[in-house]
């Protein structure tokens, strides 16, 4: 423990600075800026090096948090970054995108603001990028085994890197024109500069991982054909089926799933497309859903110069602080002000959508009512309806599971009662040599869980093929975060 009184001397929590709102709305550059070294050192000193560090429980990857905090305080950044890479393949991604369940489990958080663990991780990832430390680690020998990974999101990439490094030949199939999955096409550049993703993909290629893009498994290549050509197949296609809202007017032009809007915008930003197909410029935008995807839509619409943006959530506004119903170390639902919320727009809670209003086949408004709770259900309260003007409506209501195209017919994959790919305690599906990891088997979850499952399925596949493995398996398929129902 570097500073035994650090958490007593420094009680305030200071996170990374953000670029001024008027400037960042002019471009899609990352909002967050680097933190000064002195501030980072001071914040890391608040880590108490607990006898039982519950931050380990909060992090599915098992990151060595007290160790790298101590090293950052001692200004030994290279060693701290090495500690982080021992458990996390992609800290440059989690440092930007993970909501940090480790901080909810921080022991200091019982009676003080938690240690800025995510910020320390982000700065360590920045240190690695600055130092050009994404050094390829090709295997010393090759096993001769061939493994297909379907899907190039965080779970697929983590599994591919782990398996490539122990000597297997790994081919990653991606149906889009470039690898990355939602990291590339779903996350806006103001949260994740795609050059960061490209740096990591360069490392994977140099290590020997092969990428086949523009290939839709189940359509262009059959799942049965893939199983014949490879010794093992890993399903890492995510949970890409969006949750719909079947209310009157859903068929109107101008009502879109949020991910359709975000992927369209990301292709324009990357110059893969000249102009957006779904454009918020000059329009009154209504976003249904108050989560991360809704916030991404908000920031994107503001950058496209929307006339107004309103975000509607059906539930109550979360509290600002942890309540008695969500005791430490559970992850509490808290009112969050993301960078997009700082930039503009209005947020409304307890708003139930009644119908989409239209004229000549196009949406012109959303009728909403106050939400009331009846027998455990959220229903529109009669007599409270009002009309909100809308030229563009974005459904950011979450996801219901993986796309089943070809899986049930070609591989006879079973699905659980939530629509996810069923698997046993070793990530194995009911089909021979077919495994599943990430959101495809877990359901919609966090990036840190996806990477943890990618590492774990790699260990399972390596053991299946070789009879043993030295690869770590941080989580089991049945593991879940501690929560209060």
């Amino acid at each position: 423990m570097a500073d035994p009184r650090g958490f007593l001397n420094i009680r305030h929590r200071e996170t990374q600075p953000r670029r001024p709102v008027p400037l960042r709305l002019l471009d899609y550059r990352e909002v967050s800026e680097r933190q000064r070294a002195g501030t980072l050192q001071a914040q890391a000193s608040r880590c108490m090096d607990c006898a039982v560090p519950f931050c380990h429980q909060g992090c599915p990857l098992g990151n060595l948090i007290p160790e790298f905090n101590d090293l950052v305080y001692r200004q030994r950044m290279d060693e701290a970054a090495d500690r982080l890479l021992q458990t996390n393949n992609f800290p440059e991604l989690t440092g930007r995108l993970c909501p940090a369940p480790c901080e909810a489990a921080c022991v200091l958080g019982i009676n003080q603001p938690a240690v800025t663990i995510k910020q320390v991780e982000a700065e360590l990832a920045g240190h690695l990028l600055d130092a050009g430390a994404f050094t390829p680690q090709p295997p010393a020998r090759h096993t001769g085994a061939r493994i297909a990974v379907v899907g190039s999101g965080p779970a697929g990439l983590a599994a591919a890197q782990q398996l490539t490094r122990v000597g297997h030949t790994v081919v990653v199939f991606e149906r889009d024109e470039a690898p990355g999955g939602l990291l590339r096409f779903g996350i806006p550049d103001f949260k994740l500069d795609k050059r960061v993703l490209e740096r990591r993909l360069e490392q994977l290629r140099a290590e020997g991982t092969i990428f086949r893009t523009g290939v839709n498994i189940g359509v262009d290549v059959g799942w049965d054909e893939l199983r014949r050509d490879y010794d093992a197949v890993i399903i890492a296609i995510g949970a890409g089926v969006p949750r719909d809202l079947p209310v009157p007017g859903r068929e109107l032009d101008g009502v879109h799933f949020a991910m359709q809007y975000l992927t369209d915008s990301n292709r324009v930003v990357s110059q893969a497309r000249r102009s957006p197909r779904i454009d918020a410029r000059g329009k009154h935008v209504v976003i249904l859903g108050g989560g991360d995807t809704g916030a991404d839509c908000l920031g994107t619409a503001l950058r496209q110069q929307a006339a107004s943006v309103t975000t509607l959530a059906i539930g109550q506004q979360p509290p600002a602080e942890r309540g008695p119903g969500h005791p430490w170390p559970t992850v509490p639902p808290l009112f969050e002000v993301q960078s997009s919320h700082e930039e503009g727009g209005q947020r409304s809670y307890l708003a139930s959508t009644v119908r989409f209003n239209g004229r000549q086949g196009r949406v012109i408004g959303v009728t909403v009512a106050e939400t009331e709770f009846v027998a455990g259900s959220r229903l529109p309260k009669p007599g409270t309806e009002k009309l909100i003007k809308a030229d563009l409506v974005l459904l950011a209501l979450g996801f219901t599971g993986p796309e089943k195209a070809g899986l049930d017919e070609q591989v006879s994959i079973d699905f659980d009662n939530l629509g996810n790919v069923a698997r046993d305690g070793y990530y194995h599906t009911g089909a021979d040599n077919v495994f599943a990891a990430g959101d495809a088997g877990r359901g919609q979850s966090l990036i840190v869980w996806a990477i943890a499952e990618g590492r774990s399925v790699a260990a399972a596949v390596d053991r299946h093929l070789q009879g043993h493995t030295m690869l770590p398996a941080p989580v089991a398929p049945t593991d879940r975060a501690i929560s209060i129902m």
Side-chain angles (χ1 to χ4, degrees):
M1 186 173 181
D3 185 355
R5 298 185 63 82
F7 69 97
L8 296 174
N9 296 331
I10 302 174
R11 291 177 172 269
H12 69 282
R13 171 185 165 94
E14 187 172 343
T15 57
Q16 62 197 130
R18 292 170 175 170
R19 297 166 56 212
V21 169
L23 291 180
R24 69 195 197 212
L25 284 177
L26 299 176
D27 57 46
Y28 285 84
R29 290 170 46 209
E30 285 192 0
V31 166
S32 298
E33 296 181 318
R34 299 290 293 273
Q35 195 170 59
R36 292 186 299 109
T39 303
L40 183 70
Q41 181 186 15
Q43 290 297 306
S45 77
R46 300 180 66 236
C47 180
M48 300 188 297
D49 193 15
C50 309
V52 180
F54 269 77
C55 54
H56 287 184
Q57 171 272 323
C59 176
L61 286 166
N63 285 337
L64 306 173
I65 294 166
E67 293 187 25
F68 67 62
N69 276 328
D70 175 77
L71 290 166
V72 168
Y73 173 77
R74 297 176 185 274
Q75 300 183 16
R76 292 156 59 178
M77 296 293 285
D78 288 340
E79 294 175 66
D82 181 67
R83 289 290 194 284
L84 185 53
L85 288 175
Q86 288 181 25
T87 55
N88 186 352
N89 295 69
F90 313 124
E92 71 282 3
L93 303 180
T94 54
R96 288 168 166 82
L97 305 175
C98 181
C102 54
E103 294 184 5
C106 174
V107 175
L108 185 60
I110 295 175
N111 61 359
Q112 285 191 38
V115 175
T116 57
I117 301 169
K118 177 180 176 179
Q119 176 60 36
V120 173
E121 182 174 329
E123 291 299 328
L124 286 175
H127 175 78
L128 290 169
L129 285 165
D130 293 344
F134 287 175
T135 305
Q137 300 178 34
R141 63 178 182 87
H142 289 277
T143 64
R146 287 167 48 82
I147 301 167
V149 176
V150 184
S152 63
L157 292 179
Q161 184 165 65
Q162 294 292 95
L163 290 166
T164 297
R165 287 179 171 179
V166 294
H168 302 301
T169 298
V170 181
V171 181
V172 178
F173 291 91
E174 170 57 55
R175 67 180 178 183
D176 287 318
E177 66 270 24
L182 292 186
L183 293 171
R184 180 182 297 278
F185 295 108
I187 305 296
D189 280 47
F190 55 79
K191 288 177 65 175
L192 173 62
D193 188 327
K194 300 308 180 287
R195 291 175 296 182
V196 173
L197 175 62
E198 286 296 343
R199 289 278 296 277
R200 184 60 77 175
L201 291 171
E202 288 173 9
Q203 182 196 40
L204 268 71
R205 292 188 180 97
E207 291 172 346
T209 300
I210 302 166
F211 290 91
R212 296 281 185 261
T213 58
V215 181
N216 190 355
I217 302 299
V219 179
D220 303 322
V221 177
W223 287 97
D224 49 355
E225 181 181 348
L226 202 67
R227 294 175 63 196
R228 288 196 302 267
D229 293 343
Y230 291 87
D231 299 293
V233 175
I234 297 175
I235 301 170
I237 58 177
V241 179
R243 180 172 285 106
D244 208 343
L245 186 63
V247 299
R250 172 61 182 89
E251 75 287 350
L252 292 169
D253 289 342
V255 181
H256 303 275
F257 288 119
M259 205 49 64
Q260 292 174 322
Y261 173 64
L262 292 174
T263 55
D264 177 68
S265 172
N266 281 341
R267 283 187 166 93
V268 174
V269 173
S270 68
Q271 299 182 346
R273 183 174 296 161
R274 181 171 298 179
S275 59
R277 297 174 180 173
I278 308 173
D279 196 349
R281 180 181 296 274
K283 294 178 181 177
H284 298 281
V285 181
V286 172
I287 301 168
L288 304 185
D292 289 345
T293 302
D296 293 346
C297 290
L298 169 61
T300 302
L302 292 172
R303 282 163 177 77
Q304 290 182 344
Q305 300 180 15
S308 68
V309 186
T310 303
T311 300
L312 304 178
I314 194 172
Q316 295 179 334
Q317 178 175 326
E321 297 180 354
R322 185 192 295 272
H326 294 87
W328 176 89
T330 63
V331 179
L334 297 177
F335 181 71
E336 185 178 9
V337 179
Q338 296 193 30
S339 63
S340 295
H341 300 134
E342 297 174 340
E343 296 165 358
Q346 296 182 340
R347 304 167 78 178
S348 296
Y349 292 87
L350 291 176
S352 292
T353 302
V354 177
R355 62 182 172 273
F356 301 122
N357 303 77
R359 182 185 300 125
Q360 296 180 344
R362 181 156 193 88
V363 67
I364 61 170
V366 181
T367 297
V368 299
E370 295 178 11
T371 301
E372 64 177 354
F373 297 83
V374 179
S377 298
R378 298 169 177 173
L379 299 173
K381 184 178 180 180
T384 63
E385 294 85 356
K386 65 177 181 179
L387 178 65
I388 299 177
K389 186 175 182 179
D391 308 304
L392 175 62
V393 177
L394 303 173
L395 306 182
L397 304 172
F399 301 87
T400 61
E403 297 181 19
K404 300 180 180 180
L407 282 175
D408 43 2
E409 304 95 347
Q410 299 176 18
V411 199
S412 298
I413 290 290
D414 292 326
F415 296 87
D416 63 22
N417 58 352
L418 298 177
N420 304 313
V421 176
R423 61 235 176 117
D424 63 15
Y426 299 95
Y427 294 90
H428 195 274
T429 69
D432 291 342
N433 303 324
V434 180
F435 299 77
D439 288 4
R442 176 171 291 272
Q444 181 184 352
S445 188
L446 308 178
I447 183 173
V448 68
W449 279 100
I451 297 173
E453 285 218 357
R455 290 170 67 87
S456 299
V457 76
V461 171
D462 188 43
R463 183 183 297 108
H464 175 74
L465 295 175
Q466 303 294 309
H468 58 86
T469 186
M470 296 293 290
L471 292 174
V475 295
T478 53
D479 286 346
R480 294 294 184 272
I482 297 177
S483 62
I484 302 295
M485 301 303 292

